[in-house]
Amino acid sequence: MSEQTKGAGDLLVRIGAITFVVGAVATIVTVIPFLLGTTRLPTPAYFVSMLMGLGMLLALVGLLRAALAQRQSSS
């Protein structure tokens, strides 16, 4: 196995990706009752869907941090 170095922002990108996936699954789960014509889910389920946007923001901040660290090291 190869050793990978942990760069600046890697943890934020990973946390963002996981948060995005959780939010995406929650979004799919909250849309299914509308498609099937069943009872609507409670409000907290819709708040969990908002994690998708938060995950995207965290991943973008991690990428920005990694880019800035790479720029600092090359100067």
Side-chain angles (χ1 to χ4, degrees):
M1 292 203 174
S2 65
E3 289 186 28
Q4 294 180 352
T5 59
K6 302 284 183 189
D10 284 351
L11 183 62
L12 276 175
V13 172
R14 288 181 185 178
I15 291 172
I18 292 168
T19 307
F20 181 85
V21 169
V22 169
V25 170
T27 301
I28 292 169
V29 168
T30 55
V31 168
I32 289 174
F34 291 118
L35 298 175
L36 298 178
T38 60
T39 307
R40 187 180 154 191
L41 293 175
T43 302
Y46 294 94
F47 288 125
V48 175
S49 297
M50 292 181 193
L51 288 177
M52 197 161 98
L54 178 65
M56 179 69 77
L57 179 66
L58 285 172
L60 288 175
V61 168
L63 287 174
L64 180 63
R65 186 173 175 198
L68 290 174
Q70 184 178 7
R71 184 176 177 190
Q72 291 289 330
S73 68
S74 65
S75 296

Short mmCIF file of all heavy atoms in Angstrom, two decimals:
data_model
loop_
_atom_site.label_atom_id
_atom_site.label_comp_id
_atom_site.label_asym_id
_atom_site.label_seq_id
_atom_site.Cartn_x
_atom_site.Cartn_y
_atom_site.Cartn_z
N MET A 1 0.83 -1.18 0.00
CA MET A 1 0.00 0.00 0.00
C MET A 1 0.87 1.24 0.00
O MET A 1 1.92 1.26 0.61
CB MET A 1 -0.88 0.03 1.24
CG MET A 1 -1.92 -1.00 1.29
SD MET A 1 -3.22 -0.44 2.38
CE MET A 1 -4.37 -1.71 2.12
N SER A 2 0.42 2.26 -0.66
CA SER A 2 1.18 3.50 -0.69
C SER A 2 0.74 4.41 0.46
O SER A 2 -0.41 4.39 0.88
CB SER A 2 0.96 4.22 -2.02
OG SER A 2 -0.39 4.62 -2.13
N GLU A 3 1.69 5.18 0.94
CA GLU A 3 1.36 6.12 2.00
C GLU A 3 0.91 7.42 1.37
O GLU A 3 1.54 7.95 0.47
CB GLU A 3 2.59 6.37 2.87
CG GLU A 3 2.96 5.19 3.74
CD GLU A 3 4.09 5.55 4.69
OE1 GLU A 3 4.22 6.72 5.05
OE2 GLU A 3 4.84 4.63 5.04
N GLN A 4 -0.20 7.92 1.86
CA GLN A 4 -0.71 9.17 1.34
C GLN A 4 -0.47 10.25 2.38
O GLN A 4 -0.71 10.03 3.57
CB GLN A 4 -2.20 9.08 1.05
CG GLN A 4 -2.52 8.13 -0.08
CD GLN A 4 -4.01 8.07 -0.34
OE1 GLN A 4 -4.80 8.62 0.40
NE2 GLN A 4 -4.39 7.40 -1.41
N THR A 5 -0.02 11.39 1.94
CA THR A 5 0.17 12.49 2.86
C THR A 5 -1.16 13.20 3.07
O THR A 5 -1.95 13.34 2.14
CB THR A 5 1.21 13.49 2.34
OG1 THR A 5 0.75 13.97 1.08
CG2 THR A 5 2.56 12.84 2.19
N LYS A 6 -1.38 13.62 4.28
CA LYS A 6 -2.61 14.35 4.61
C LYS A 6 -2.36 15.82 4.34
O LYS A 6 -1.56 16.46 4.99
CB LYS A 6 -2.98 14.15 6.08
CG LYS A 6 -3.18 12.71 6.48
CD LYS A 6 -4.50 12.21 6.00
CE LYS A 6 -4.67 10.79 6.48
NZ LYS A 6 -5.77 10.12 5.94
N GLY A 7 -3.00 16.35 3.34
CA GLY A 7 -2.84 17.74 2.98
C GLY A 7 -3.83 18.62 3.72
O GLY A 7 -4.78 18.13 4.34
N ALA A 8 -3.59 19.90 3.65
CA ALA A 8 -4.51 20.85 4.27
C ALA A 8 -5.86 20.77 3.57
O ALA A 8 -5.95 20.75 2.35
CB ALA A 8 -3.94 22.25 4.17
N GLY A 9 -6.92 20.68 4.32
CA GLY A 9 -8.26 20.64 3.76
C GLY A 9 -8.79 19.27 3.45
O GLY A 9 -9.97 19.13 3.12
N ASP A 10 -7.96 18.23 3.56
CA ASP A 10 -8.43 16.88 3.23
C ASP A 10 -9.57 16.43 4.15
O ASP A 10 -10.54 15.83 3.70
CB ASP A 10 -7.29 15.87 3.32
CG ASP A 10 -6.35 15.94 2.13
OD1 ASP A 10 -6.69 16.66 1.16
OD2 ASP A 10 -5.30 15.29 2.16
N LEU A 11 -9.43 16.74 5.43
CA LEU A 11 -10.46 16.34 6.39
C LEU A 11 -11.78 17.06 6.09
O LEU A 11 -12.85 16.44 6.14
CB LEU A 11 -10.01 16.63 7.82
CG LEU A 11 -10.97 16.20 8.92
CD1 LEU A 11 -11.18 14.69 8.88
CD2 LEU A 11 -10.45 16.62 10.28
N LEU A 12 -11.71 18.33 5.75
CA LEU A 12 -12.92 19.07 5.42
C LEU A 12 -13.59 18.51 4.17
O LEU A 12 -14.83 18.43 4.11
CB LEU A 12 -12.60 20.55 5.20
CG LEU A 12 -12.54 21.43 6.43
CD1 LEU A 12 -12.10 22.83 6.06
CD2 LEU A 12 -13.86 21.47 7.14
N VAL A 13 -12.81 18.12 3.20
CA VAL A 13 -13.38 17.54 1.97
C VAL A 13 -14.07 16.22 2.28
O VAL A 13 -15.17 15.96 1.81
CB VAL A 13 -12.29 17.36 0.89
CG1 VAL A 13 -12.82 16.59 -0.29
CG2 VAL A 13 -11.76 18.72 0.45
N ARG A 14 -13.45 15.40 3.11
CA ARG A 14 -14.06 14.11 3.46
C ARG A 14 -15.34 14.29 4.26
O ARG A 14 -16.36 13.63 4.01
CB ARG A 14 -13.07 13.26 4.24
CG ARG A 14 -11.96 12.75 3.38
CD ARG A 14 -11.00 11.89 4.14
NE ARG A 14 -9.88 11.52 3.27
CZ ARG A 14 -8.87 10.81 3.65
NH1 ARG A 14 -8.78 10.40 4.89
NH2 ARG A 14 -7.91 10.52 2.80
N ILE A 15 -15.30 15.18 5.26
CA ILE A 15 -16.50 15.45 6.06
C ILE A 15 -17.60 16.03 5.17
O ILE A 15 -18.77 15.67 5.29
CB ILE A 15 -16.17 16.39 7.24
CG1 ILE A 15 -15.28 15.67 8.25
CG2 ILE A 15 -17.44 16.89 7.91
CD1 ILE A 15 -14.73 16.56 9.34
N GLY A 16 -17.22 16.92 4.27
CA GLY A 16 -18.19 17.50 3.34
C GLY A 16 -18.82 16.47 2.44
O GLY A 16 -20.02 16.51 2.17
N ALA A 17 -18.01 15.53 1.96
CA ALA A 17 -18.54 14.48 1.08
C ALA A 17 -19.54 13.59 1.83
O ALA A 17 -20.61 13.26 1.30
CB ALA A 17 -17.40 13.65 0.51
N ILE A 18 -19.20 13.24 3.05
CA ILE A 18 -20.10 12.39 3.85
C ILE A 18 -21.39 13.13 4.16
O ILE A 18 -22.49 12.57 4.04
CB ILE A 18 -19.39 11.93 5.14
CG1 ILE A 18 -18.27 10.96 4.78
CG2 ILE A 18 -20.38 11.29 6.10
CD1 ILE A 18 -17.32 10.66 5.93
N THR A 19 -21.28 14.40 4.54
CA THR A 19 -22.45 15.21 4.83
C THR A 19 -23.32 15.38 3.59
O THR A 19 -24.56 15.31 3.67
CB THR A 19 -22.03 16.59 5.37
OG1 THR A 19 -21.13 16.40 6.45
CG2 THR A 19 -23.22 17.39 5.85
N PHE A 20 -22.69 15.56 2.45
CA PHE A 20 -23.44 15.69 1.19
C PHE A 20 -24.22 14.41 0.89
O PHE A 20 -25.39 14.47 0.50
CB PHE A 20 -22.48 16.02 0.04
CG PHE A 20 -23.16 16.19 -1.27
CD1 PHE A 20 -23.70 17.41 -1.62
CD2 PHE A 20 -23.27 15.13 -2.17
CE1 PHE A 20 -24.34 17.58 -2.84
CE2 PHE A 20 -23.91 15.30 -3.38
CZ PHE A 20 -24.45 16.53 -3.72
N VAL A 21 -23.59 13.27 1.06
CA VAL A 21 -24.26 12.00 0.77
C VAL A 21 -25.45 11.79 1.71
O VAL A 21 -26.53 11.36 1.28
CB VAL A 21 -23.26 10.82 0.85
CG1 VAL A 21 -23.97 9.49 0.83
CG2 VAL A 21 -22.26 10.91 -0.29
N VAL A 22 -25.26 12.11 3.00
CA VAL A 22 -26.38 11.98 3.95
C VAL A 22 -27.52 12.90 3.54
O VAL A 22 -28.70 12.49 3.54
CB VAL A 22 -25.90 12.31 5.39
CG1 VAL A 22 -27.07 12.44 6.35
CG2 VAL A 22 -24.94 11.24 5.88
N GLY A 23 -27.21 14.12 3.15
CA GLY A 23 -28.24 15.04 2.70
C GLY A 23 -28.92 14.59 1.42
O GLY A 23 -30.13 14.76 1.25
N ALA A 24 -28.15 14.02 0.50
CA ALA A 24 -28.74 13.53 -0.75
C ALA A 24 -29.70 12.37 -0.49
O ALA A 24 -30.79 12.32 -1.09
CB ALA A 24 -27.63 13.10 -1.71
N VAL A 25 -29.31 11.47 0.38
CA VAL A 25 -30.21 10.35 0.72
C VAL A 25 -31.47 10.87 1.40
O VAL A 25 -32.58 10.43 1.09
CB VAL A 25 -29.47 9.32 1.61
CG1 VAL A 25 -30.43 8.30 2.18
CG2 VAL A 25 -28.37 8.63 0.83
N ALA A 26 -31.31 11.84 2.29
CA ALA A 26 -32.47 12.42 2.97
C ALA A 26 -33.38 13.13 1.97
O ALA A 26 -34.61 13.08 2.11
CB ALA A 26 -32.02 13.39 4.05
N THR A 27 -32.81 13.77 0.98
CA THR A 27 -33.61 14.44 -0.03
C THR A 27 -34.44 13.43 -0.83
O THR A 27 -35.63 13.64 -1.08
CB THR A 27 -32.71 15.25 -0.99
OG1 THR A 27 -32.00 16.22 -0.22
CG2 THR A 27 -33.52 15.94 -2.06
N ILE A 28 -33.81 12.34 -1.19
CA ILE A 28 -34.54 11.29 -1.92
C ILE A 28 -35.66 10.72 -1.06
O ILE A 28 -36.79 10.52 -1.53
CB ILE A 28 -33.57 10.18 -2.37
CG1 ILE A 28 -32.63 10.73 -3.46
CG2 ILE A 28 -34.32 8.97 -2.89
CD1 ILE A 28 -31.48 9.82 -3.80
N VAL A 29 -35.37 10.49 0.22
CA VAL A 29 -36.38 9.93 1.13
C VAL A 29 -37.54 10.89 1.32
O VAL A 29 -38.69 10.46 1.43
CB VAL A 29 -35.71 9.56 2.48
CG1 VAL A 29 -36.75 9.26 3.54
CG2 VAL A 29 -34.78 8.39 2.29
N THR A 30 -37.27 12.19 1.36
CA THR A 30 -38.36 13.15 1.56
C THR A 30 -39.19 13.37 0.29
O THR A 30 -40.33 13.80 0.38
CB THR A 30 -37.83 14.51 2.06
OG1 THR A 30 -36.85 14.99 1.16
CG2 THR A 30 -37.26 14.39 3.44
N VAL A 31 -38.64 13.07 -0.87
CA VAL A 31 -39.39 13.25 -2.11
C VAL A 31 -40.28 12.05 -2.40
O VAL A 31 -41.35 12.19 -3.01
CB VAL A 31 -38.41 13.51 -3.29
CG1 VAL A 31 -39.11 13.41 -4.63
CG2 VAL A 31 -37.76 14.86 -3.13
N ILE A 32 -39.88 10.88 -1.94
CA ILE A 32 -40.64 9.65 -2.23
C ILE A 32 -42.12 9.74 -1.80
O ILE A 32 -42.99 9.34 -2.58
CB ILE A 32 -39.94 8.43 -1.61
CG1 ILE A 32 -38.66 8.14 -2.39
CG2 ILE A 32 -40.84 7.21 -1.58
CD1 ILE A 32 -37.80 7.04 -1.81
N PRO A 33 -42.46 10.29 -0.61
CA PRO A 33 -43.89 10.37 -0.26
C PRO A 33 -44.71 11.22 -1.24
O PRO A 33 -45.88 10.95 -1.47
CB PRO A 33 -43.88 10.99 1.14
CG PRO A 33 -42.58 10.63 1.71
CD PRO A 33 -41.63 10.63 0.55
N PHE A 34 -44.10 12.24 -1.83
CA PHE A 34 -44.82 13.05 -2.81
C PHE A 34 -45.11 12.24 -4.07
O PHE A 34 -46.17 12.38 -4.68
CB PHE A 34 -44.02 14.30 -3.17
CG PHE A 34 -43.93 15.30 -2.06
CD1 PHE A 34 -42.70 15.63 -1.53
CD2 PHE A 34 -45.06 15.89 -1.54
CE1 PHE A 34 -42.60 16.55 -0.50
CE2 PHE A 34 -44.98 16.81 -0.52
CZ PHE A 34 -43.75 17.15 0.01
N LEU A 35 -44.15 11.42 -4.47
CA LEU A 35 -44.32 10.62 -5.68
C LEU A 35 -45.33 9.49 -5.49
O LEU A 35 -46.03 9.10 -6.43
CB LEU A 35 -42.98 10.05 -6.13
CG LEU A 35 -41.91 11.09 -6.51
CD1 LEU A 35 -40.59 10.38 -6.81
CD2 LEU A 35 -42.36 11.91 -7.68
N LEU A 36 -45.37 8.95 -4.28
CA LEU A 36 -46.28 7.84 -4.00
C LEU A 36 -47.64 8.29 -3.50
O LEU A 36 -48.55 7.47 -3.37
CB LEU A 36 -45.64 6.89 -2.97
CG LEU A 36 -44.34 6.22 -3.40
CD1 LEU A 36 -43.79 5.37 -2.27
CD2 LEU A 36 -44.55 5.38 -4.65
N GLY A 37 -47.77 9.58 -3.20
CA GLY A 37 -49.05 10.09 -2.72
C GLY A 37 -49.37 9.68 -1.29
O GLY A 37 -50.54 9.61 -0.92
N THR A 38 -48.35 9.42 -0.49
CA THR A 38 -48.57 9.02 0.90
C THR A 38 -48.45 10.23 1.82
O THR A 38 -48.26 11.36 1.39
CB THR A 38 -47.56 7.94 1.32
OG1 THR A 38 -46.25 8.46 1.18
CG2 THR A 38 -47.71 6.69 0.47
N THR A 39 -48.51 9.96 3.11
CA THR A 39 -48.43 11.02 4.11
C THR A 39 -47.07 11.68 4.10
O THR A 39 -46.04 11.02 3.98
CB THR A 39 -48.69 10.43 5.52
OG1 THR A 39 -49.92 9.72 5.49
CG2 THR A 39 -48.77 11.53 6.55
N ARG A 40 -47.08 12.98 4.26
CA ARG A 40 -45.86 13.78 4.26
C ARG A 40 -45.02 13.47 5.50
O ARG A 40 -45.54 13.20 6.57
CB ARG A 40 -46.29 15.24 4.27
CG ARG A 40 -45.20 16.19 4.11
CD ARG A 40 -45.74 17.60 4.13
NE ARG A 40 -44.63 18.41 4.60
CZ ARG A 40 -44.71 19.65 4.96
NH1 ARG A 40 -45.88 20.25 4.94
NH2 ARG A 40 -43.67 20.30 5.35
N LEU A 41 -43.70 13.54 5.35
CA LEU A 41 -42.79 13.31 6.47
C LEU A 41 -42.77 14.51 7.41
O LEU A 41 -43.09 15.62 7.00
CB LEU A 41 -41.37 13.04 5.95
CG LEU A 41 -41.19 11.74 5.18
CD1 LEU A 41 -39.77 11.67 4.64
CD2 LEU A 41 -41.46 10.54 6.05
N PRO A 42 -42.36 14.30 8.66
CA PRO A 42 -42.30 15.44 9.59
C PRO A 42 -41.23 16.46 9.18
O PRO A 42 -40.29 16.14 8.43
CB PRO A 42 -41.95 14.80 10.94
CG PRO A 42 -41.54 13.41 10.65
CD PRO A 42 -42.03 13.05 9.30
N THR A 43 -41.34 17.65 9.68
CA THR A 43 -40.46 18.76 9.32
C THR A 43 -38.97 18.47 9.54
O THR A 43 -38.15 18.85 8.70
CB THR A 43 -40.87 20.02 10.09
OG1 THR A 43 -42.24 20.31 9.78
CG2 THR A 43 -40.02 21.22 9.70
N PRO A 44 -38.56 17.81 10.62
CA PRO A 44 -37.11 17.55 10.78
C PRO A 44 -36.49 16.77 9.63
O PRO A 44 -35.31 16.94 9.34
CB PRO A 44 -37.03 16.75 12.08
CG PRO A 44 -38.22 17.19 12.86
CD PRO A 44 -39.28 17.43 11.83
N ALA A 45 -37.27 15.97 8.94
CA ALA A 45 -36.73 15.24 7.79
C ALA A 45 -36.31 16.21 6.69
O ALA A 45 -35.31 15.97 6.00
CB ALA A 45 -37.78 14.26 7.25
N TYR A 46 -37.01 17.29 6.54
CA TYR A 46 -36.66 18.29 5.53
C TYR A 46 -35.41 19.07 5.94
O TYR A 46 -34.63 19.50 5.10
CB TYR A 46 -37.83 19.22 5.26
CG TYR A 46 -38.98 18.49 4.63
CD1 TYR A 46 -40.01 17.97 5.41
CD2 TYR A 46 -39.02 18.28 3.27
CE1 TYR A 46 -41.05 17.27 4.82
CE2 TYR A 46 -40.05 17.58 2.67
CZ TYR A 46 -41.07 17.07 3.46
OH TYR A 46 -42.09 16.36 2.89
N PHE A 47 -35.23 19.27 7.25
CA PHE A 47 -34.01 19.93 7.73
C PHE A 47 -32.78 19.07 7.48
O PHE A 47 -31.71 19.58 7.17
CB PHE A 47 -34.13 20.29 9.21
CG PHE A 47 -35.07 21.42 9.46
CD1 PHE A 47 -36.13 21.27 10.35
CD2 PHE A 47 -34.92 22.64 8.82
CE1 PHE A 47 -37.00 22.31 10.58
CE2 PHE A 47 -35.79 23.69 9.05
CZ PHE A 47 -36.83 23.52 9.94
N VAL A 48 -32.92 17.75 7.57
CA VAL A 48 -31.80 16.86 7.28
C VAL A 48 -31.44 16.95 5.80
O VAL A 48 -30.26 16.85 5.44
CB VAL A 48 -32.14 15.41 7.70
CG1 VAL A 48 -31.04 14.45 7.30
CG2 VAL A 48 -32.38 15.32 9.20
N SER A 49 -32.41 17.22 4.96
CA SER A 49 -32.13 17.38 3.53
C SER A 49 -31.22 18.57 3.26
O SER A 49 -30.49 18.59 2.27
CB SER A 49 -33.44 17.58 2.76
OG SER A 49 -34.23 16.44 2.87
N MET A 50 -31.26 19.55 4.14
CA MET A 50 -30.41 20.73 3.96
C MET A 50 -28.93 20.44 4.20
O MET A 50 -28.07 21.27 3.90
CB MET A 50 -30.87 21.85 4.89
CG MET A 50 -32.22 22.40 4.52
SD MET A 50 -32.66 23.72 5.63
CE MET A 50 -34.37 23.91 5.23
N LEU A 51 -28.63 19.26 4.72
CA LEU A 51 -27.23 18.87 4.90
C LEU A 51 -26.50 18.75 3.57
O LEU A 51 -25.28 18.84 3.53
CB LEU A 51 -27.14 17.55 5.68
CG LEU A 51 -27.49 17.61 7.15
CD1 LEU A 51 -27.43 16.21 7.75
CD2 LEU A 51 -26.57 18.55 7.90
N MET A 52 -27.24 18.55 2.50
CA MET A 52 -26.62 18.43 1.19
C MET A 52 -25.89 19.72 0.83
O MET A 52 -24.73 19.68 0.39
CB MET A 52 -27.68 18.10 0.15
CG MET A 52 -27.14 17.55 -1.13
SD MET A 52 -28.42 16.69 -2.06
CE MET A 52 -28.91 17.93 -3.20
N GLY A 53 -26.52 20.84 1.05
CA GLY A 53 -25.88 22.12 0.78
C GLY A 53 -24.72 22.39 1.71
O GLY A 53 -23.67 22.92 1.30
N LEU A 54 -24.88 22.03 2.98
CA LEU A 54 -23.80 22.22 3.95
C LEU A 54 -22.60 21.35 3.58
O LEU A 54 -21.45 21.80 3.68
CB LEU A 54 -24.29 21.86 5.36
CG LEU A 54 -23.26 21.96 6.47
CD1 LEU A 54 -22.82 23.40 6.65
CD2 LEU A 54 -23.83 21.40 7.76
N GLY A 55 -22.84 20.14 3.14
CA GLY A 55 -21.74 19.26 2.73
C GLY A 55 -20.99 19.81 1.53
O GLY A 55 -19.76 19.76 1.47
N MET A 56 -21.72 20.39 0.59
CA MET A 56 -21.08 21.00 -0.57
C MET A 56 -20.22 22.18 -0.13
O MET A 56 -19.09 22.34 -0.60
CB MET A 56 -22.14 21.47 -1.57
CG MET A 56 -21.57 22.15 -2.78
SD MET A 56 -20.67 21.05 -3.85
CE MET A 56 -22.00 20.21 -4.66
N LEU A 57 -20.73 22.98 0.79
CA LEU A 57 -19.97 24.13 1.28
C LEU A 57 -18.70 23.68 2.00
O LEU A 57 -17.62 24.25 1.78
CB LEU A 57 -20.84 24.97 2.22
CG LEU A 57 -20.18 26.19 2.83
CD1 LEU A 57 -19.87 27.21 1.75
CD2 LEU A 57 -21.07 26.79 3.89
N LEU A 58 -18.80 22.66 2.85
CA LEU A 58 -17.62 22.16 3.56
C LEU A 58 -16.57 21.62 2.59
O LEU A 58 -15.37 21.88 2.76
CB LEU A 58 -18.03 21.05 4.54
CG LEU A 58 -18.71 21.49 5.82
CD1 LEU A 58 -19.23 20.27 6.58
CD2 LEU A 58 -17.78 22.31 6.68
N ALA A 59 -17.00 20.90 1.59
CA ALA A 59 -16.06 20.35 0.61
C ALA A 59 -15.38 21.48 -0.18
O ALA A 59 -14.17 21.42 -0.43
CB ALA A 59 -16.77 19.40 -0.34
N LEU A 60 -16.13 22.49 -0.55
CA LEU A 60 -15.54 23.60 -1.28
C LEU A 60 -14.54 24.38 -0.42
O LEU A 60 -13.50 24.81 -0.91
CB LEU A 60 -16.64 24.53 -1.81
CG LEU A 60 -17.47 23.98 -2.95
CD1 LEU A 60 -18.61 24.94 -3.29
CD2 LEU A 60 -16.61 23.71 -4.16
N VAL A 61 -14.86 24.56 0.86
CA VAL A 61 -13.92 25.23 1.77
C VAL A 61 -12.66 24.40 1.92
O VAL A 61 -11.55 24.93 1.94
CB VAL A 61 -14.58 25.49 3.14
CG1 VAL A 61 -13.56 25.91 4.19
CG2 VAL A 61 -15.66 26.56 3.01
N GLY A 62 -12.80 23.07 1.99
CA GLY A 62 -11.63 22.20 2.07
C GLY A 62 -10.77 22.29 0.82
O GLY A 62 -9.53 22.31 0.90
N LEU A 63 -11.41 22.34 -0.34
CA LEU A 63 -10.65 22.47 -1.58
C LEU A 63 -9.94 23.82 -1.66
O LEU A 63 -8.79 23.90 -2.10
CB LEU A 63 -11.59 22.32 -2.79
CG LEU A 63 -12.09 20.90 -3.05
CD1 LEU A 63 -13.12 20.92 -4.17
CD2 LEU A 63 -10.94 19.99 -3.40
N LEU A 64 -10.61 24.86 -1.21
CA LEU A 64 -9.99 26.19 -1.20
C LEU A 64 -8.80 26.22 -0.25
O LEU A 64 -7.74 26.77 -0.59
CB LEU A 64 -11.02 27.24 -0.79
CG LEU A 64 -10.53 28.68 -0.72
CD1 LEU A 64 -10.08 29.15 -2.10
CD2 LEU A 64 -11.62 29.58 -0.18
N ARG A 65 -8.96 25.60 0.90
CA ARG A 65 -7.87 25.55 1.86
C ARG A 65 -6.67 24.77 1.31
O ARG A 65 -5.51 25.16 1.48
CB ARG A 65 -8.35 24.91 3.16
CG ARG A 65 -7.35 24.94 4.26
CD ARG A 65 -7.94 24.46 5.56
NE ARG A 65 -6.90 24.42 6.56
CZ ARG A 65 -6.98 23.74 7.66
NH1 ARG A 65 -8.07 23.06 7.93
NH2 ARG A 65 -5.99 23.73 8.51
N ALA A 66 -6.94 23.67 0.62
CA ALA A 66 -5.87 22.88 0.02
C ALA A 66 -5.16 23.67 -1.08
O ALA A 66 -3.93 23.63 -1.19
CB ALA A 66 -6.42 21.58 -0.54
N ALA A 67 -5.93 24.41 -1.87
CA ALA A 67 -5.34 25.20 -2.94
C ALA A 67 -4.47 26.32 -2.38
O ALA A 67 -3.37 26.59 -2.90
CB ALA A 67 -6.43 25.78 -3.83
N LEU A 68 -4.94 26.96 -1.32
CA LEU A 68 -4.15 28.02 -0.70
C LEU A 68 -2.88 27.48 -0.07
O LEU A 68 -1.82 28.10 -0.15
CB LEU A 68 -4.98 28.77 0.34
CG LEU A 68 -6.10 29.65 -0.21
CD1 LEU A 68 -6.94 30.22 0.92
CD2 LEU A 68 -5.52 30.75 -1.08
N ALA A 69 -2.95 26.30 0.54
CA ALA A 69 -1.76 25.69 1.14
C ALA A 69 -0.76 25.31 0.07
O ALA A 69 0.46 25.48 0.24
CB ALA A 69 -2.15 24.47 1.96
N GLN A 70 -1.24 24.81 -1.06
CA GLN A 70 -0.35 24.45 -2.16
C GLN A 70 0.31 25.70 -2.76
O GLN A 70 1.49 25.69 -3.10
CB GLN A 70 -1.12 23.70 -3.25
CG GLN A 70 -0.25 23.21 -4.37
CD GLN A 70 -1.04 22.43 -5.40
OE1 GLN A 70 -2.28 22.37 -5.34
NE2 GLN A 70 -0.37 21.83 -6.35
N ARG A 71 -0.46 26.75 -2.83
CA ARG A 71 0.10 28.01 -3.35
C ARG A 71 1.16 28.57 -2.42
O ARG A 71 2.18 29.09 -2.87
CB ARG A 71 -1.04 29.01 -3.52
CG ARG A 71 -0.63 30.30 -4.13
CD ARG A 71 -1.82 31.18 -4.36
NE ARG A 71 -1.40 32.45 -4.88
CZ ARG A 71 -2.19 33.49 -5.00
NH1 ARG A 71 -3.44 33.40 -4.64
NH2 ARG A 71 -1.73 34.62 -5.48
N GLN A 72 0.94 28.45 -1.11
CA GLN A 72 1.92 28.93 -0.13
C GLN A 72 3.21 28.12 -0.20
O GLN A 72 4.30 28.66 -0.06
CB GLN A 72 1.34 28.85 1.29
CG GLN A 72 0.23 29.82 1.57
CD GLN A 72 0.73 31.25 1.67
OE1 GLN A 72 1.85 31.50 2.07
NE2 GLN A 72 -0.13 32.18 1.30
N SER A 73 3.09 26.82 -0.40
CA SER A 73 4.28 25.96 -0.42
C SER A 73 5.10 26.13 -1.70
O SER A 73 6.29 25.90 -1.70
CB SER A 73 3.88 24.50 -0.25
OG SER A 73 3.17 24.05 -1.38
N SER A 74 4.43 26.53 -2.79
CA SER A 74 5.16 26.68 -4.04
C SER A 74 5.83 28.05 -4.15
O SER A 74 6.67 28.25 -5.01
CB SER A 74 4.25 26.46 -5.23
OG SER A 74 3.27 27.47 -5.28
N SER A 75 5.45 28.97 -3.29
CA SER A 75 6.05 30.32 -3.34
C SER A 75 7.39 30.37 -2.65
O SER A 75 7.70 29.75 -1.74
CB SER A 75 5.13 31.34 -2.69
OG SER A 75 3.94 31.43 -3.42
#
